[in-house]
Amino acid sequence: MTQPVRVRFAPSPTGKLHIGGARTAIYNWAFARANHGTFILRIDDTDPTRSTEENTQVILRAMRWLGLDWDEGPEVGGDFGPYAQTERLALYREAAERLLAEGKAYPCFCTPEQLAEDRAAAQARKDPFQGYQRRCRNIPADEARARMEAGEPYTIRIKVPEDRGDVVIDDAVHGEVTFAAKELDDFVIFRSDGTPTYNFATVVDDAAMGITHVIRGDDHLSNTPRQVMVYEALGAPVPVFAHISMILGADGKKLSKRHGATSVEEYRDAGYLSDAFVNYLALLGWSLDGETTIIPRDVLAREFSLERISKNPATFDPKKLDWVNAEYINRMDNATFTQEILLPQLVEAGLLDPEPAVSIDEEWTDRLAEIVRPRTKMPADAAQVAAPIFATAETLVYDEKAVSKGLAKEGMGAVLDRAREALGSLAEDAWTAEAIDAALEPLPEALDLKKRVVFQAVRVAICGNLVSPPLGETMALIGRADCLARIDRARTMAL
């Protein structure tokens, strides 16, 4: 029977959750879901100078916004807790003591000065091995214990077997990767201040938590041989590693603040939809079939596989993210768009009072959503597109360039006069988009003007700008009386 999949996302709370970390979290979550496995969130907070509870909460908020529900971890619990490394120090000490007792690790009493001297000497003699020279490896156990008990400062180093050959891992993304045995020194697993090193603590945790697959950025690839040494010393099975490529900016350099927003919460605050953001990040290094771009969360959770992760770096394209976001908005039904985007944005923009927003006419808002939604790439666009509809003839703001181009030209006064006459003939109960369009349609020929010129003038008069949703549908939502009043006001600007 195949062992159930158990994966973890283990961020260090030293700052905000950034795009690279978010993508790693998405891949771990999706892999767990696709394999009916367990997704664990662990907080690797052993850096006392940078790890803070505030940063931990930032990460948890970002994870919740991304919709990456974890099966074990903070606020959820589980059988393998605690899920913060600062609460697991006793486990690391116990594991280190066991390795000492089994002769798989040893105390090192070398001072920083001694280590620097040994390194310089190795470099001077062009020694192919310039790591730790194993000066303390063969100190008799009794002598070592006595020096430890006497209070002499020491670190604990793992004892890499002298006959250990090259470390070869079958990475799920990169394939077979070989690390030369000569590069493996007896590295420190416990510092002199009594804290574990990253490569030791993370392996102790992964082994204790039964992690079957380690999916992480390829900046950790160089840590892998040392971590394999720890797994072997602990007698624990080595998980499957999958190292995913870095994310680059458009200039081909590693994504950073110089490329713009980098933290998850910045994108949340900018108005991106969680589902769209997760969809886009998932595509940075993974594909469903090489063609499909819009991949709903449930499809990602069902179809994700390590085999389709690319080993090549991915390029973060803000325009592509915007397109994906717009697609998610455009695919909403009107009711969802109204409740999740349109009404909240109208309230935020001050176009609608919070209280009436919940009881506004459903049929009217449905028609409004129908014309606003296709023109909304970001939530804030909804209020901008709808703003002229919520104005009045007295409050409508006219764009100067639009007035100059659409009204302040010879003959535009006559256009508005004929438009008002045609529209004024429509009764209140006949004020529909179809009737409005039909009333305006004959005007260009009657005035011997291009259709664009005529409708542009009317559009500026009604909306104050040159870009708006379909004119007839917009005017139907505004209402007959106010549309006629807007034309009367605009007539004073037309030649």
Side-chain angles (χ1 to χ4, degrees), residues 47 50 140 268 281 444:
D47 183 343
R50 301 172 63 205
R268 178 203 65 190
L281 291 192

Side-chain angles (χ1 to χ4, degrees), residues 42-43 68 99 102 146 172 213 226 258 270 320 328 336 338 342 357 377 420 429-430 432 449 451:
R42 187 178 74 224
I43 304 299
L68 305 180
L99 295 185
E102 295 174 354
H213 297 73
R226 292 189 172 194
R258 69 175 178 275
K320 183 67 173 291
Y328 269 82
T336 301
T338 298
L342 182 57
K377 292 184 178 180
R420 196 196 190 291
D429 59 2
T432 65
L449 292 170
K451 183 175 183 180

Side-chain angles (χ1 to χ4, degrees), residues 57 59-70 75 274:
Q57 292 305 315
I59 289 171
L60 296 183
R61 285 199 302 271
M63 291 288 287
R64 284 192 289 266
W65 179 74
L66 290 169
L68 305 180
D69 53 318
W70 53 96
E75 302 178 352
S274 171

Side-chain angles (χ1 to χ4, degrees), residues 12-19 55 58-59 62 262-266:
S12 297
T14 55
K16 297 179 179 180
L17 181 60
H18 291 93
I19 288 173
N55 285 337
V58 168
I59 289 171
T262 57
S263 75
V264 168
E265 290 194 316
E266 285 179 278

